[in-house]
Each structure stands twice: as C-alpha cells, then as structure tokens.
Amino acid sequence: MAYMSQEGYDKLVAQLKQLESVERPKASAAIAEARDKGDLSENSEYDAAKEAQAHLEDKINQIKLAIAEAKIVDVSRLSTDAVQIMSKVEMTNLATKSKMVYTIVSESEANLKEGKISIKTPIAQGLLNHKVGDEVEVKIPRGSIKLRIDKISLEY
C-alpha cells in the first residue's frame, strides 16, 4: 500500500488516461506503419516500435498497480506535532548552517525540483516522528548529516 495525496492520486489517474488513450494508439500506429514496410525479419523499425510498445504497456501496468495500491491521506486528520507523510519540514543543517525545506510525500509524488522527497529517502526516514526542536543525525550515502527541525507544517 502506498500513501499519497489526493493531488498525487489524480495525477496518476490522468497520466494513465493519457497513456491509454493517446500513447497506446500512437504505438499501435507505429507498429502498423513499420509492418507495412515489408519483411519483418530485417525490419529494425518494426522491432523498435514493438519494444516501445512493450515499455509503454509496462508503464501502464505499473501505474495501474500504483493506483490499485494507493491509500489517499486525509490531510484534515494530520497533525504538525511530529514529522509524517505530507509534512513540510523546515530544517537547518547544523554543520553548514544552511536551511532546507522538504515536503515528505509518496514515492510516486517525489519531485526534488518542487522540494518533495519520497518518504523512502534516508532524510525522510531520519525525520519521521521527530518534533520541532529535535536534532537528528541522518545517515546518507556520503556519511551522515545533523539536522535541526525548525518548523513542521502541512502541504496540501
């Protein structure tokens, strides 16, 4: 089961609809066009179109699975007492004194450019269930960093 926001769920449903109604017919048309070009045994265009279709179908199946396993988080029931999924966390790196702000989201909603990190990342895991003022040491691939939680709010 994967927890996610209503917005994240809606984006997945829209992406699935796009893939099934627009991309799938394009892939079928590309295969048909390549097939019309003759001998399939030496037709690299046909092979490429079939492979692209297989990747597309795999992606469609992954999204369907994510939708089936999705559990939408009721943000009205969340609290800012401690860090949890959907928490927007403002923190300070105690070594560099730099400020960071991340919102902890499901894996499918993660987008670093938007400041949204997956709940499965080392930083999110290190912050979970901690409160404002807590100093946590988070193990990351390059070693570990010490963070102080300055503020917890809800992002929705």
Side-chain angles (χ1 to χ4, degrees):
M1 186 179 340
Y3 290 95
M4 65 179 64
S5 67
Q6 183 66 51
E7 177 190 3
Y9 181 84
D10 292 344
K11 280 182 182 176
L12 274 181
V13 170
Q15 185 180 10
L16 178 63
K17 187 176 180 186
Q18 164 76 15
L19 291 175
E20 287 182 330
S21 63
V22 177
E23 300 302 324
R24 189 182 265 164
K26 277 187 195 173
S28 295
I31 290 170
E33 187 179 317
R35 191 181 304 127
D36 291 343
K37 292 187 177 169
D39 184 13
L40 297 181
S41 65
E42 295 179 19
N43 188 334
S44 61
E45 203 174 310
Y46 177 78
D47 293 339
K50 287 294 280 183
E51 189 172 324
Q53 183 187 40
H55 285 298
L56 176 66
E57 292 302 321
D58 187 42
K59 188 169 186 171
I60 287 171
N61 289 332
Q62 287 175 359
I63 293 171
K64 281 182 174 178
L65 183 62
I67 289 170
E69 293 180 343
K71 176 94 171 95
I72 297 170
V73 175
D74 180 358
V75 282
S76 68
R77 298 181 66 197
L78 296 179
S79 152
T80 56
D81 293 344
V83 178
Q84 58 193 326
I85 192 163
M86 307 305 292
S87 291
K88 181 177 184 176
V89 185
E90 296 176 32
M91 63 205 107
T92 303
N93 180 325
L94 296 174
T96 64
K97 303 297 181 220
S98 61
K99 302 277 186 192
M100 301 185 298
V101 179
Y102 291 123
T103 301
I104 299 173
V105 296
S106 68
E107 212 168 5
S108 64
E109 294 177 271
N111 182 336
L112 203 50
K113 288 180 186 166
E114 295 175 8
K116 296 178 176 181
I117 61 170
S118 165
I119 194 163
K120 294 185 178 181
T121 62
I123 290 177
Q125 287 292 305
L127 294 172
L128 284 178
N129 300 316
H130 286 279
K131 299 175 179 350
V132 172
D134 285 359
E135 293 183 4
V136 295
E137 191 163 332
V138 178
K139 293 197 184 323
I140 57 172
R142 293 188 308 252
S144 67
I145 55 174
K146 218 171 173 169
L147 303 170
R148 183 185 64 232
I149 300 172
D150 299 324
K151 182 179 176 188
I152 301 169
S153 56
L154 292 173
E155 179 87 8
Y156 48 101

